[in-house]
Amino acid sequence: MEEFKMSEKKTPPKPLPVKDRFKRVPIKMRSPEERIHDFDLYIHGYTDEEARAEAARCLACNVCVKGCPARLDIGAYVRAIADGEPKNALQIILKDLPLPTICGYVCTHNCEDLCVLGRRGDPIAIRHLKRYAAEAVEDYSEVVEATPEPDTGKKVAIIGAGPAGLTLAYRLALKGVKPVIFDALPYPGGTMYVGIPPYRLPRKVIEKEVEFIKSFGVEFRFNTRVGEDIPFEKLMEEYDAVFIGVGNHRPRRVECKGSDCSGVYHALEFLRGVALGEIKEVGRRVAVIGGGFTAMDAARVSLRLGAEKVMVLYRRRAQDRPGYPSSNAEEELREAEEEGIEFIWTVTPFEYTSKDGHISGIKYWKNRMIEVPGKRAKPEPIKDQEYFVEVDTVIEATGQKIDFDFIPEEIREKLEMSWSEIKVNEFGETSIPGVFAGGDATNEKKDIISAVADGNRAAVGILRYLFPERAEEFHIKE
Ligand SMILES: Cc1cc2nc3c(=O)[nH]c(=O)nc-3n(C[C@H](O)[C@H](O)[C@H](O)COP(=O)(O)OP(=O)(O)OC[C@H]3O[C@@H](n4cnc5c(N)ncnc54)[C@H](O)[C@@H]3O)c2cc1C
Ligand code: SF4
């Protein structure tokens, strides 16, 4: 059970000599003028020389690890890169994360916000270095240390092929437990495939990592919506445990008069339509309503589909956006602004106008912000003056919630909730014995690395549940 051992306290190695410890080696990017015309990747990876120079700045103190939900041994893998050993680095990463390239491209990298070097200068570019290590190896099986244990005869049904389900499947397969993943979509990856656009996360990266996970004997049943194509109760009967990793896919809509006209989408439906090739164009003047990463992607995708003007309308201020303060949220905003997206802060849309049944504009109020101690400031519309902006497409990126319809009422009643998330214990088990859950359906962070951490946690929980006599072997990394 090497991969589930608690991390040992180690003395950090001596810092390497460097020219400037506080200055990051810049990452090369395509110019905004060039990149807005296509869906190709715009962040280039580090070269060998750049990666070694950047990694050499690291003190290997591991202060940043507390910012990583999956508790990767960051100091150790960054030092391996500095030593010119990217394969060793990848080996270390794979102990806690079976999706290293995906996270190397789009992780929210909250670890970087804790990097001690950030107190006086630039934090280590941990995410870019992870990408470098992962891309140094074509076939991960060359470096992965773990070998699958003999078949135990146990099987687990996993609902959802997103990062939570994929991570759990990998962990269980290594322990000789057969994972079967059910997904309503025709492809694996969940929101990583149908939400995150390919200019940030190329499809071939997802395919490579899914193939790696599949090679351990993970079975996939695509185009299979649990609750429609197969009943949830059947999974409970036929499998030794069930994992709910369904994400959050039910849109929260803007409560706006006139929203039944054409040209109004929810961002999830829009991004998914574009990802699956069902939506190929957008209007000339697009308004995106929202402020999180879904809003940023919907806006930037609209530009790439040829919109002339893209505006983001958000009810709070820039500093109140979801995920703020963090370097990830700042990067997102900066890159969207560089691409020419206009931000209209502190507004409340209250009516969509239409012409011949198609959206023609948005009426909105401006908001005053009310400071609330210990919480985000609250927007309050000033209703004595109305504003108007002309648009021909509206994309609502105002959040989403878990869709429970696949669970029959009598079972759902027994499922304890914590606000809008499924409540789980420290091992990812729900209030129903043998039913586990993780990812966006349970955590508040709602990002990939938190879903990975949930997959790791549920693996420990499921192994303890299936093999109580071996419980001492399975631990969660602190
Ligand atoms: C536009 C957008 C951009 C994002 N960008 C980032 C980013 O840059 N970095 C980051 O870390 N995170 C990002 N996220 C968040 C990240 O994608 C999610 O946190 C993560 O994918 C959640 O993983 P999950 O495994 O819980 O669920 P998901 O990835 O949502 O996967 C759930 C899967 O379950 C399937 N499913 C649902 N119901 C059923 C059913 N009844 N039967 C069968 N299958 C079902 C779905 O089809 C889906 O494939 C972004 C999200 C969005 C929407
Ligand atoms: S990345 Fe920063 S915090 Fe993390 S080990 Fe290196 S120097 Fe320390």
Side-chain angles (χ1 to χ4, degrees), residues 27-43:
I27 195 89
K28 293 187 187 72
M29 288 167 98
R30 294 169 69 204
S31 73
E33 298 74 32
E34 184 198 326
R35 68 186 189 232
I36 58 167
H37 298 293
D38 59 53
F39 282 79
D40 295 344
L41 196 65
Y42 66 96
I43 300 184

Side-chain angles (χ1 to χ4, degrees), residues 232 244 402 404 406-407 409-418 421-424 429-432 435-437:
F232 182 76
I244 302 173
I402 180 168
F404 277 121
F406 70 99
I407 307 178
E409 194 59 46
E410 61 280 13
I411 300 179
R412 215 184 314 163
E413 277 168 10
K414 295 185 198 139
L415 204 56
E416 245 182 83
M417 301 291 293
S418 158
E421 280 99 28
I422 301 175
K423 199 168 168 184
V424 289
E429 192 168 18
T430 68
S431 47
I432 304 175
V435 177
F436 294 76

Side-chain angles (χ1 to χ4, degrees), residues 106 108 159-164 182-185 189-191 195-196 200 224-226 245-247 249 268 271 293-294 297 406 438-440 446-448 451:
V106 293
T108 43
I159 312 171
F182 297 84
D183 202 295
L185 287 170
T191 304
I196 305 180
R200 292 206 292 122
T224 310
R225 180 172 288 281
V226 175
V246 295
H249 292 267
L268 283 190
L271 291 170
F293 40 33
T294 309
D297 281 335
F406 70 99
D440 281 7
K446 313 238 179 286
D447 60 11
I448 294 169

